[in-house]
Amino acid sequence: MYQLGNLVQELSDKYGRDRASLMPILQCIVKKHNYLTDEAMVEVAKELDLSAAEVYGTASFYSFLDTEERGRFVIRVCRTISCSMKGKEDIMQTLEDLLKIEVGDTTADKQFTLLETNCIGWCHKAPAMLINDMPYTELTEDKVIEIIKEYMQK
Amino acid sequence: MKDTGLVKIDLIFEKIDVKELLIKAFKMSDEAIVQEVITSGLKGRGGAGFPTGLKWKFAAFEKEQEKYVVCNADEGEPGTFKDREILERVPEKVYAGMAIAGKAIGAKVGIIYLRDEYRYMLPELQSLLDEFHKSIKEIGYDFTLEYRLGSGAYICGEESALFESIEGKRGEPRNKPPFPTVNGVFGKPTVINNVETLVTALMVVKIGGAEYSKMGTPDSPGSKVFSVSGDTPNPGIYELEMGMTVQKFVDEFGDGDTKAVQVGGAAGFCVPRKRFADTIIGFEGVPTGGSMKLFNSTRSMYNVLHNYLDFFVEESCGQCTPCRVGCQQLLKGISLVKKGEIKATYLNDLSKLAETMRLASKCGLGQSVGNAFNSIVDNFREEIVY
Ligand SMILES: Cc1cc2nc3c(=O)[nH]c(=O)nc-3n(C[C@H](O)[C@H](O)[C@H](O)COP(=O)(O)O)c2cc1C
Ligand code: SF4
Ligand code: FES
């Protein structure tokens, strides 16, 4: 759970209160707080004069608009064919061992969430993953360890 | 059969004076722009291959005041990464292509729908867009562009789902007709084109439609950017003349042991070795939005098909039954056959199901699952069964 404050109002002032503003508003909340709480969605619904079910129905359609609690850093490992051919399983195993969680889980300190995703457009540099917005490519076990250690310092 | 061989081209990534080209284009009549694009024979580079000039002509014909140009930068097809590369290297050409499309059809506003996976590029792209707005104003032309972002849904690359998403809704494809040129985003006449299509159209205006159409074949004029990955020593982005055989492609990019090439991504076709020599990459053979994936003999085509079906199960929007249930049944079916829990002849039933999905699904996703399914099952049956 997080404190929303005036965020929804500020975003609605910025993007507008018509239906087409819904996605940018939800996306900004996720960027700031990592996921959407029920409270956040109810608040957005009020501000945009929509039913909460409409907002939830829209959010739940999109895999990057998380409605479950997520860590500060969301890791999305590509599981599609090129990455799967080039050692995605080993990368996933390394991440699970490092973070001591399984895919789908969030670390107890709420720093990391480990997920899979479909092709992220780096197939020629597979295996690849995203951490929040940043792509990381041509991954090896050593490289993954280095990257995660860096994030642990942040 | 005309085989152009493998010819490297430098059109899309060529650095040009965009402002000069725009000044030239804005002196042309709207009809003349559309005519150049029709003459070029350019077909959409996003996968479906609809003639671009005709699309512009239809939209230009509509009498509405408010019209839109939309750039499809959702690039979700497995194995495609050329649109990212184009946006990274020559974004000003994408913007200019949209402005020219806007002039040709009478639209003052453009929207670029960028997948969230590419958000890391946005700060740079946005600042270049600000510059572009300034320079187009200097020329005295009224056209503004804005970015909208996706949120991790492959189906939002389908044009009508993309419109729904821009409108703030679930990305569920609409019924067609009406087509986008009549009823697109916000219910207004819309031209939606792939990133590469827009840059190609820009270059057509630069070099002339007739000149462009000298490249390639009658059915697939021009050149195209290919995204090459899989078992190859040279993965990456290559702009090539259209109309080469798969064999020529494999000669250049294979690792000496290529047994199959998946052309067009998960929604495309699998071409086995015995068909390399007589299969043209293009609309007369196997079409592709750019995705070219090579598999060598160490790969299990069962695993490949399984991975594709996982993808479709996950990405089907679930709106219509043939696709939602069909994808799941195909996946379940091949697992059962593999485990020996059901007879191998069950694959025939699954192939029929894939054909039914082609006929009965609402959009291109469900309609094209059968492409990969049947071309892999037909050519690599023993790998699926044993
Ligand atoms: C499931 C599905 C996904 C699609 N994804 C994309 C995409 O990522 N990018 C794209 O340009 N076209 C995609 N398309 C094709 C678009 O619907 C549309 O035909 C295209 O954007 C038109 O532009 P073009 O004529 O310039 O190719 C997809 C189609 C389907 C059915
Ligand atoms: S074919 Fe599949 S993706 Fe397309 S509308 Fe039907 S369920 Fe949705
Ligand atoms: S398959 Fe992993 S980035 Fe394309």
Side-chain angles (χ1 to χ4, degrees):
Chain A
M1 280 281 286
Y2 50 81
Q3 291 303 317
L4 258 183
N6 294 328
L7 182 62
V8 174
Q9 245 172 341
E10 283 164 21
L11 291 173
S12 310
D13 289 341
K14 178 172 172 196
Y15 290 106
R17 288 174 168 75
D18 51 357
R19 179 74 196 240
S21 315
L22 180 58
M23 289 280 287
I25 292 173
L26 295 179
Q27 286 166 341
C28 281
I29 300 174
V30 172
K31 285 297 148 208
K32 193 160 160 71
H33 292 296
N34 316 320
Y35 72 107
L36 298 164
T37 56
D38 290 351
E39 289 71 19
M41 288 185 276
V42 169
E43 201 57 39
V44 172
K46 258 194 250 163
E47 204 60 47
L48 267 54
D49 199 16
L50 295 167
S51 75
E54 279 281 339
V55 175
Y56 180 77
T58 305
S60 61
F61 184 86
Y62 296 95
S63 64
F64 284 18
L65 295 179
D66 296 287
T67 52
E68 280 170 52
E69 183 166 23
R70 298 290 186 230
R72 191 152 77 97
F73 304 116
V74 179
I75 306 171
R76 291 187 159 92
V77 180
C78 174
R79 66 162 149 236
T80 309
I81 187 73
S82 281
C83 294
S84 146
M85 284 163 64
K86 306 272 169 174
K88 169 249 163 188
E89 280 308 322
D90 295 338
I91 300 304
M92 190 51 103
Q93 191 61 53
T94 308
L95 284 163
E96 288 182 338
D97 294 347
L98 263 175
L99 301 169
K100 303 190 177 57
I101 52 173
E102 283 178 18
V103 61
D105 295 343
T106 299
T107 53
D109 62 2
K110 312 283 182 222
Q111 287 293 91
F112 293 93
T113 299
L114 183 57
L115 302 173
E116 289 182 326
T117 193
N118 289 323
C119 182
I120 57 174
W122 290 95
C123 325
H124 57 322
K125 296 188 173 170
M129 67 178 178
L130 291 169
I131 303 185
N132 292 352
D133 295 346
M134 273 314 292
Y136 294 90
T137 62
E138 296 179 297
L139 297 172
T140 59
E141 288 180 41
D142 289 345
K143 207 164 157 183
V144 167
I145 294 170
E146 206 177 296
I147 295 165
I148 296 301
K149 289 220 163 115
E150 237 168 72
Y151 273 89
M152 283 173 167
Q153 307 298 324
K154 285 193 189 176
Chain B
M1 184 175 95
K2 179 185 169 196
D3 174 6
T4 55
L6 193 126
V7 186
K8 292 191 177 160
I9 304 287
D10 183 25
L11 208 60
I12 297 290
F13 296 106
E14 185 195 350
K15 287 280 176 190
I16 58 165
D17 186 336
V18 164
K19 196 166 175 181
E20 190 187 290
L21 181 50
L22 283 175
I23 292 171
K24 170 187 159 186
F26 292 152
K27 284 190 193 133
M28 292 166 72
S29 72
D30 302 351
E31 294 78 17
I33 294 176
V34 172
Q35 192 52 52
E36 281 305 326
V37 181
I38 290 177
T39 304
S40 75
L42 171 62
K43 292 178 183 173
R45 299 301 193 222
F50 191 83
T52 306
L54 214 52
K55 189 184 274 191
W56 290 16
K57 188 174 176 174
F58 290 152
F61 182 75
E62 292 298 314
K63 293 279 174 284
E64 283 262 3
Q65 274 298 312
E66 204 182 329
K67 297 182 188 177
Y68 290 90
V69 176
V70 174
C71 170
N72 189 339
D74 197 50
E75 190 163 63
E77 192 61 54
T80 321
F81 40 92
K82 48 139 190 133
D83 294 339
R84 178 179 53 66
E85 197 88 2
I86 293 172
L87 280 166
E88 202 140 20
R89 282 159 63 180
V90 286
E92 70 283 358
K93 288 173 81 173
V94 180
Y95 302 158
M98 292 182 75
I100 288 180
K103 167 160 165 62
I105 70 161
K108 302 252 173 285
V109 184
I111 303 172
I112 304 166
Y113 187 89
L114 183 72
R115 69 189 307 218
D116 200 47
E117 289 83 343
Y118 296 168
R119 184 186 285 269
Y120 76 98
M121 291 197 281
L122 193 58
E124 178 73 18
L125 288 174
Q126 186 65 52
S127 85
L128 290 169
L129 181 57
D130 295 342
E131 274 173 38
F132 177 79
H133 280 145
K134 255 183 246 148
S135 101
I136 202 160
K137 211 180 228 157
E138 282 165 20
I139 305 174
Y141 190 68
D142 175 21
F143 188 71
T144 39
L145 284 171
E146 63 169 303
Y147 275 95
R148 299 300 297 258
L149 277 95
S151 265
Y154 165 70
I155 191 58
C156 288
E158 195 282 336
E159 52 197 22
S160 63
L162 189 153
F163 300 150
E164 291 287 302
S165 182
I166 291 177
E167 292 174 16
K169 301 177 209 150
R170 295 164 66 88
E172 289 172 347
R174 302 173 181 167
N175 281 320
K176 280 184 239 178
F179 291 100
T181 48
V182 178
N183 188 330
V185 70
F186 302 119
K188 302 296 177 190
T190 303
V191 156
I192 177 164
N193 277 129
N194 173 259
V195 174
E196 183 187 351
T197 310
L198 289 159
V199 176
T200 310
L202 177 80
M203 294 310 282
V204 162
V205 171
K206 180 168 191 288
I207 67 174
E211 189 61 28
Y212 182 81
S213 71
K214 284 185 193 156
M215 290 188 293
T217 66
D219 283 328
S220 310
S223 60
K224 161 111 204 60
V225 182
F226 291 90
S227 313
V228 182
S229 66
D231 294 314
T232 164
N234 301 307
I237 295 284
Y238 299 89
E239 188 177 356
L240 305 172
E241 186 173 349
M242 295 279 270
M244 74 200 126
T245 58
V246 178
Q247 186 62 55
K248 286 273 162 47
F249 179 83
V250 169
D251 290 346
E252 175 83 8
F253 295 104
D255 61 359
D257 185 29
T258 308
K259 78 166 167 191
V261 181
Q262 180 77 17
V263 182
F269 295 86
C270 181
V271 181
R273 188 183 287 147
K274 63 175 187 273
R275 301 298 309 278
F276 285 175
D278 65 358
T279 306
I280 295 273
I281 302 165
F283 296 104
E284 62 271 67
V286 278
T288 174
S291 176
M292 303 291 295
K293 202 157 297 229
L294 297 99
F295 299 107
N296 68 21
S297 65
T298 68
R299 304 294 171 189
S300 149
M301 295 311 285
Y302 172 82
N303 287 347
V304 172
L305 181 57
H306 197 288
N307 191 286
Y308 286 155
L309 290 173
D310 275 338
F311 175 82
F312 284 124
V313 166
E314 172 105 351
E315 298 293 349
S316 163
C317 84
Q319 196 187 175
C320 68
T321 314
C323 170
R324 183 185 64 245
V325 179
C327 289
Q328 290 167 358
Q329 290 304 318
L330 292 178
L331 180 60
K332 208 165 106 190
I334 62 161
S335 320
L336 287 174
V337 170
K338 188 78 182 171
K339 285 188 211 136
E341 286 172 19
I342 202 164
K343 272 195 280 185
T345 49
Y346 186 56
L347 286 175
N348 304 342
D349 298 327
L350 293 178
S351 291
K352 270 188 226 146
L353 170 60
E355 282 311 313
T356 307
M357 288 167 68
R358 190 191 304 281
L359 295 173
S361 295
K362 183 168 174 180
C363 88
L365 189 151
Q367 289 161 12
S368 57
V369 173
N371 296 349
F373 189 87
N374 287 339
S375 60
I376 293 178
V377 168
D378 290 349
N379 291 300
F380 296 95
R381 202 180 170 87
E382 61 295 350
E383 290 190 36
I384 307 299
V385 178
Y386 302 108

